[in-house]
mmCIF file of all heavy atoms in Angstrom:
data_model
loop_
_atom_site.group_PDB
_atom_site.id
_atom_site.type_symbol
_atom_site.label_atom_id
_atom_site.label_comp_id
_atom_site.label_asym_id
_atom_site.label_seq_id
_atom_site.Cartn_x
_atom_site.Cartn_y
_atom_site.Cartn_z
ATOM 1 N N GLU Z 49 0.499 1.469 5.372
ATOM 2 C CA GLU Z 49 0.936 1.085 6.709
ATOM 3 C C GLU Z 49 1.173 -0.386 6.756
ATOM 4 O O GLU Z 49 0.300 -1.147 6.296
ATOM 5 C CB GLU Z 49 -0.070 1.573 7.785
ATOM 6 C CG GLU Z 49 -0.113 2.982 8.008
ATOM 7 C CD GLU Z 49 -1.096 3.365 9.209
ATOM 8 O OE1 GLU Z 49 -1.506 2.477 9.951
ATOM 9 O OE2 GLU Z 49 -1.299 4.556 9.329
ATOM 10 N N GLU Z 50 2.324 -0.762 7.326
ATOM 11 C CA GLU Z 50 2.674 -2.228 7.277
ATOM 12 C C GLU Z 50 2.980 -2.673 8.719
ATOM 13 O O GLU Z 50 3.340 -1.832 9.596
ATOM 14 C CB GLU Z 50 3.986 -2.366 6.472
ATOM 15 C CG GLU Z 50 3.930 -1.847 5.102
ATOM 16 C CD GLU Z 50 5.274 -1.813 4.439
ATOM 17 O OE1 GLU Z 50 6.268 -2.428 4.958
ATOM 18 O OE2 GLU Z 50 5.431 -1.186 3.392
ATOM 19 N N THR Z 51 2.766 -3.973 8.923
ATOM 20 C CA THR Z 51 3.179 -4.608 10.176
ATOM 21 C C THR Z 51 4.699 -4.801 10.178
ATOM 22 O O THR Z 51 5.336 -4.543 9.226
ATOM 23 C CB THR Z 51 2.486 -5.938 10.352
ATOM 24 O OG1 THR Z 51 2.857 -6.846 9.273
ATOM 25 C CG2 THR Z 51 0.953 -5.773 10.347
ATOM 26 N N LYS Z 52 5.246 -5.348 11.270
ATOM 27 C CA LYS Z 52 6.658 -5.640 11.331
ATOM 28 C C LYS Z 52 7.177 -6.586 10.266
ATOM 29 O O LYS Z 52 8.295 -6.488 9.805
ATOM 30 C CB LYS Z 52 7.012 -6.182 12.755
ATOM 31 C CG LYS Z 52 6.930 -5.131 13.823
ATOM 32 C CD LYS Z 52 7.338 -5.739 15.135
ATOM 33 C CE LYS Z 52 7.196 -4.683 16.210
ATOM 34 N NZ LYS Z 52 7.606 -5.168 17.499
ATOM 35 N N ASP Z 53 6.257 -7.459 9.859
ATOM 36 C CA ASP Z 53 6.658 -8.441 8.788
ATOM 37 C C ASP Z 53 6.305 -7.904 7.367
ATOM 38 O O ASP Z 53 6.297 -8.668 6.463
ATOM 39 C CB ASP Z 53 6.020 -9.790 9.007
ATOM 40 C CG ASP Z 53 4.539 -9.825 8.905
ATOM 41 O OD1 ASP Z 53 3.886 -8.742 8.819
ATOM 42 O OD2 ASP Z 53 3.958 -10.922 8.952
ATOM 43 N N ARG Z 54 6.039 -6.641 7.290
ATOM 44 C CA ARG Z 54 5.753 -5.919 6.016
ATOM 45 C C ARG Z 54 4.497 -6.273 5.335
ATOM 46 O O ARG Z 54 4.291 -6.188 4.141
ATOM 47 C CB ARG Z 54 6.921 -6.113 5.013
ATOM 48 C CG ARG Z 54 8.278 -5.787 5.570
ATOM 49 C CD ARG Z 54 9.004 -4.522 5.219
ATOM 50 N NE ARG Z 54 8.499 -3.527 4.394
ATOM 51 C CZ ARG Z 54 9.057 -3.028 3.360
ATOM 52 N NH1 ARG Z 54 10.277 -3.553 2.948
ATOM 53 N NH2 ARG Z 54 8.567 -2.033 2.667
ATOM 54 N N THR Z 55 3.443 -6.675 6.134
ATOM 55 C CA THR Z 55 2.157 -6.943 5.628
ATOM 56 C C THR Z 55 1.334 -5.633 5.646
ATOM 57 O O THR Z 55 1.282 -4.951 6.644
ATOM 58 C CB THR Z 55 1.429 -7.988 6.458
ATOM 59 O OG1 THR Z 55 2.132 -9.219 6.430
ATOM 60 C CG2 THR Z 55 0.009 -8.268 5.945
ATOM 61 N N VAL Z 56 0.782 -5.273 4.460
ATOM 62 C CA VAL Z 56 -0.014 -4.019 4.347
ATOM 63 C C VAL Z 56 -1.370 -4.234 4.957
ATOM 64 O O VAL Z 56 -2.135 -5.109 4.540
ATOM 65 C CB VAL Z 56 -0.102 -3.592 2.894
ATOM 66 C CG1 VAL Z 56 -0.881 -2.284 2.778
ATOM 67 C CG2 VAL Z 56 1.220 -3.423 2.262
ATOM 68 N N THR Z 57 -1.723 -3.388 5.950
ATOM 69 C CA THR Z 57 -3.007 -3.486 6.679
ATOM 70 C C THR Z 57 -3.908 -2.296 6.462
ATOM 71 O O THR Z 57 -5.078 -2.395 6.571
ATOM 72 C CB THR Z 57 -2.765 -3.730 8.119
ATOM 73 O OG1 THR Z 57 -2.019 -2.670 8.688
ATOM 74 C CG2 THR Z 57 -2.076 -5.045 8.363
ATOM 75 N N VAL Z 58 -3.234 -1.124 6.204
ATOM 76 C CA VAL Z 58 -4.014 0.114 6.127
ATOM 77 C C VAL Z 58 -3.383 0.930 4.972
ATOM 78 O O VAL Z 58 -2.171 0.919 4.766
ATOM 79 C CB VAL Z 58 -3.914 0.950 7.449
ATOM 80 C CG1 VAL Z 58 -4.458 2.358 7.256
ATOM 81 C CG2 VAL Z 58 -4.593 0.212 8.544
ATOM 82 N N VAL Z 59 -4.290 1.652 4.275
ATOM 83 C CA VAL Z 59 -3.815 2.606 3.247
ATOM 84 C C VAL Z 59 -4.490 3.938 3.526
ATOM 85 O O VAL Z 59 -5.613 4.015 3.783
ATOM 86 C CB VAL Z 59 -4.169 2.122 1.832
ATOM 87 C CG1 VAL Z 59 -3.805 3.138 0.772
ATOM 88 C CG2 VAL Z 59 -3.476 0.766 1.536
ATOM 89 N N TRP Z 60 -3.642 4.983 3.495
ATOM 90 C CA TRP Z 60 -4.177 6.369 3.527
ATOM 91 C C TRP Z 60 -4.125 6.925 2.152
ATOM 92 O O TRP Z 60 -3.148 6.793 1.418
ATOM 93 C CB TRP Z 60 -3.246 7.219 4.445
ATOM 94 C CG TRP Z 60 -3.369 6.884 5.877
ATOM 95 C CD1 TRP Z 60 -2.668 5.862 6.546
ATOM 96 C CD2 TRP Z 60 -4.156 7.522 6.885
ATOM 97 N NE1 TRP Z 60 -3.058 5.911 7.843
ATOM 98 C CE2 TRP Z 60 -3.928 6.926 8.088
ATOM 99 C CE3 TRP Z 60 -5.042 8.607 6.784
ATOM 100 C CZ2 TRP Z 60 -4.566 7.290 9.279
ATOM 101 C CZ3 TRP Z 60 -5.608 9.031 7.956
ATOM 102 C CH2 TRP Z 60 -5.441 8.360 9.193
#
Side-chain angles (χ1 to χ4, degrees):
E49 288 186 11
E50 305 169 13
T51 62
K52 288 181 183 181
D53 66 351
R54 309 255 3 233
T55 299
V56 181
T57 57
V58 170
V59 174
W60 289 84

